[in-house]
Amino acid sequence: MADLIPNLDLLDIVRKQIKTCVGDLELEPEVERILHSPMRELKVCLTVPMDDGTIKVFDGFRVQYNDARGPTKGGIRFHPDETIETIRALAALMTWKCALHRLPLGGAKGGVVCNPKEMSQGELERLSRAYIRAIYRLIGPDVDIPAPDVYTNPRVMAWMMDEYSRMSTKNEFGVITGKPLCLFGSEGRNEATARGGWYAIREAAKDMGLDLLGATVAVQGYGNVGYNAAYLAKSLFGCKVVAASDSKGGIYSEEGLDPEEVFVHKSETGSVVGYPGTKNISNEELLELEVDVLVPAALENVITKENASRIKASIVAEMANGPTTPEADEILYERGVHLIPDILCNGGGVIVSYFEMVQNAYMYHWDLEEVRQRLDEKMTFAYHTVLDASKSYDINMRQSSYIVAVGRVVEAMKLRGWI
Ligand code: NAD
């Protein structure tokens, strides 16, 4: 996804968010310092034979942010504009997300600077295997468990798991999650982020007295998360999805869209734009629509101090990572918009990845209903924990999610005698 790399410094934003809970958690300066930097980083240089007989060199990274609560976990991104700073910030977010959802895991992230759109399948396979060989010593089923992320997918995970297994001279299915089902991936992983997000929205709606049947929804982004968010809005709760968008623009229909048909249109034409019977709108206009639920499911930093006062949704459900800046957070809170923060709202993906780890470790297979029910329990519990903290401290949901999550990481570090 070409434009996923943020303009604003995501690491700076993550650090600002840590600062918001320093007072409430009474964090000592040394503790704060640990929270501001990753515990381990590896920069690797990968040489990969290309189809034309040349050799290309690629930079790669793996950042393990904090493992006080368990082995680190986080995706691998293949992107031409990848930077170590973005990877660091996303590794930090993974640390808080795992802690918030009470997973026995720390946070990590990895990436390779490359353009997969310009590479053949063979080149991608050789790159994926080279990356695993380079970070082999740092990862493992009990140490650090990668997963798919931007421009990586179950196919890439299968190659990576295979390379790790070859080096270990035994099958190590548990070293990677997000694998294809026939290589012991989990049921329900594909929809997990959006489904988990909707369980959180359901709880928010109950709390606010909002009836989701017929409630209007706008979704920014129509990839894995955005499409599933639109599909589940209609199929789970009978909401009316009035707007959707992608990198080429957005569409609006007062009568509501059929999310599956929009998906087919996008698959055939390359965009949601031009779907019959809809009005074209910009991504900026989509954010400012008068809807009950707004789901940013694409980019970082789209809700800023410039447009926050024009957001009209009652609920903003952050299924993307980092869609709202700290300044915008304050404006939305003052205006009474109920924001479900990213580390809470989009935790369904890592929760089901954790379920995959558990199934691999015990050689179990959970059916789809079991996965969904366990996901619902975890999302509902986390939502109410964050909501209760927000009410008792009289702070916004972002701050309370950080107080709960960072508080758990700090408690683990202290009990282990690190600080
Ligand atoms: P994806 O690549 O499948 O889809 C991204 C979508 O965003 C595409 O439809 C793309 O066209 C659209 N997009 C790109 N630029 C845009 C722009 N300028 N305006 C509007 N739309 C634009 O990615 P995804 O897996 O759906 O991830 C989306 C977001 O959710 C990211 O922030 C990601 O970090 C976050 N997230 C994903 C998961 C997961 O399980 N996939 C888990 C947690 C968080």
Side-chain angles (χ1 to χ4, degrees):
M1 187 174 141
D3 0 12
L4 256 183
I5 302 298
N7 298 324
L8 296 180
D9 183 348
L10 190 59
L11 188 61
D12 193 42
I13 290 178
V14 168
R15 286 179 174 156
K16 275 190 188 147
Q17 284 164 344
I18 296 171
K19 281 206 171 295
T20 63
C21 55
V22 167
D24 290 305
L25 290 175
E26 297 175 6
L27 299 181
E28 300 85 349
E30 311 79 59
V31 178
E32 202 189 333
R33 191 180 174 286
I34 296 179
L35 296 174
H36 278 292
S37 39
M39 64 175 196
R40 193 174 296 117
E41 296 185 348
L42 182 65
K43 150 83 178 57
V44 294
C45 195
L46 312 172
T47 53
V48 179
M50 306 306 279
D51 291 346
D52 64 5
T54 60
I55 300 276
K56 258 198 177 168
V57 181
F58 297 91
D59 285 332
F61 315 103
R62 184 75 187 165
V63 175
Q64 297 174 341
Y65 202 85
N66 186 298
D67 69 354
R69 288 179 45 87
T72 50
K73 175 122 197 69
I76 297 169
R77 297 154 57 103
F78 282 179
H79 197 287
D81 302 328
E82 198 55 87
T83 66
I84 185 85
E85 288 78 17
T86 309
I87 298 283
R88 261 182 215 137
L90 292 168
L93 285 180
M94 284 303 295
T95 307
W96 320 140
K97 202 178 293 183
C98 291
L100 182 66
H101 291 281
R102 296 183 305 160
L103 307 179
L105 298 167
K109 208 75 169 187
V112 177
V113 186
C114 66
N115 189 349
K117 285 186 179 170
E118 293 172 358
M119 297 172 72
S120 70
Q121 286 294 294
E123 290 168 344
L124 269 180
E125 176 174 354
R126 291 191 288 278
L127 177 72
S128 304
R129 290 184 185 276
Y131 178 67
I132 289 301
R133 285 195 298 276
I135 65 165
Y136 178 80
R137 279 188 184 78
L138 228 63
I139 61 171
D142 308 318
V143 189
D144 181 11
I145 306 96
D149 206 295
V150 173
Y151 284 154
T152 56
N153 55 30
R155 186 77 198 83
V156 171
M157 296 305 112
W159 289 325
M160 292 184 169
M161 180 279 294
D162 183 70
E163 190 66 20
Y164 186 89
S165 296
R166 285 186 196 200
M167 294 181 77
S168 308
T169 65
K170 61 183 193 314
N171 276 326
E172 289 278 18
F173 293 111
V175 71
I176 299 248
T177 61
K179 300 180 293 293
L181 264 181
C182 69
L183 286 173
F184 314 108
S186 180
E187 302 279 357
R189 175 61 187 89
N190 206 35
E191 60 163 24
T193 303
R195 182 173 279 272
W198 271 103
Y199 290 146
I201 297 169
R202 177 196 64 200
E203 295 307 301
K206 270 190 222 162
D207 190 51
M208 297 160 71
L210 171 70
D211 186 359
L212 285 179
L213 185 63
T216 50
V217 178
V219 180
Q220 183 180 57
Y222 219 67
N224 172 285
V225 179
Y227 162 64
N228 279 297
Y231 171 75
L232 293 170
K234 191 165 179 223
S235 59
L236 274 184
F237 299 110
C239 299
K240 189 158 81 164
V241 181
V242 292
S245 70
D246 57 31
S247 57
K248 304 210 171 91
I251 51 175
Y252 175 81
S253 160
E254 203 178 335
E255 290 75 46
L257 308 164
D258 180 328
E260 283 174 287
E261 281 184 12
V262 173
F263 181 78
V264 172
H265 176 82
K266 182 172 164 69
S267 311
E268 287 170 357
T269 66
S271 175
V272 298
V273 176
Y275 178 71
T278 59
K279 185 177 125 191
N280 286 350
I281 55 170
S282 67
N283 264 292
E284 292 70 33
E285 286 170 324
L286 179 140
L287 294 171
E288 297 172 18
L289 286 173
E290 199 148 322
V291 287
D292 296 308
V293 183
L294 172 65
V295 180
L299 304 175
E300 297 87 352
N301 304 323
V302 290
I303 304 178
T304 63
K305 62 177 189 302
E306 275 74 40
N307 64 359
S309 58
R310 296 194 297 275
I311 303 289
K312 298 180 196 74
S314 311
I315 297 176
V316 173
E318 292 188 332
M319 295 202 197
N321 280 317
T324 312
T325 66
E327 296 81 10
D329 266 347
E330 283 174 29
I331 299 171
L332 294 180
Y333 184 58
E334 278 161 21
R335 295 184 49 239
V337 176
H338 187 77
L339 182 136
I340 310 176
D342 50 4
I343 59 170
L344 171 60
C345 193
N346 69 30
V350 70
I351 291 172
V352 175
S353 273
Y354 160 68
F355 293 164
E356 185 174 331
M357 288 173 64
V358 173
Q359 292 170 80
N360 289 164
Y362 286 90
M363 293 183 154
Y364 285 155
H365 175 84
W366 295 346
D367 64 27
L368 187 56
E369 272 322 301
E370 181 162 5
V371 170
R372 287 175 173 170
Q373 185 212 324
R374 288 175 183 270
L375 173 64
D376 191 349
E377 280 166 18
K378 281 208 151 299
M379 289 300 304
T380 303
F381 187 89
Y383 177 83
H384 286 287
T385 305
V386 173
L387 182 70
D388 291 351
S390 131
K391 286 181 178 168
S392 62
Y393 286 94
D394 194 19
I395 52 179
N396 69 38
M397 292 278 282
R398 172 106 46 217
Q399 285 167 291
S400 60
S401 67
Y402 266 67
I403 286 182
V404 173
V406 175
R408 285 182 185 153
V409 175
V410 171
E411 189 186 7
M413 292 196 298
K414 288 192 170 169
L415 286 170
R416 293 179 67 153
W418 290 7
I419 39 177

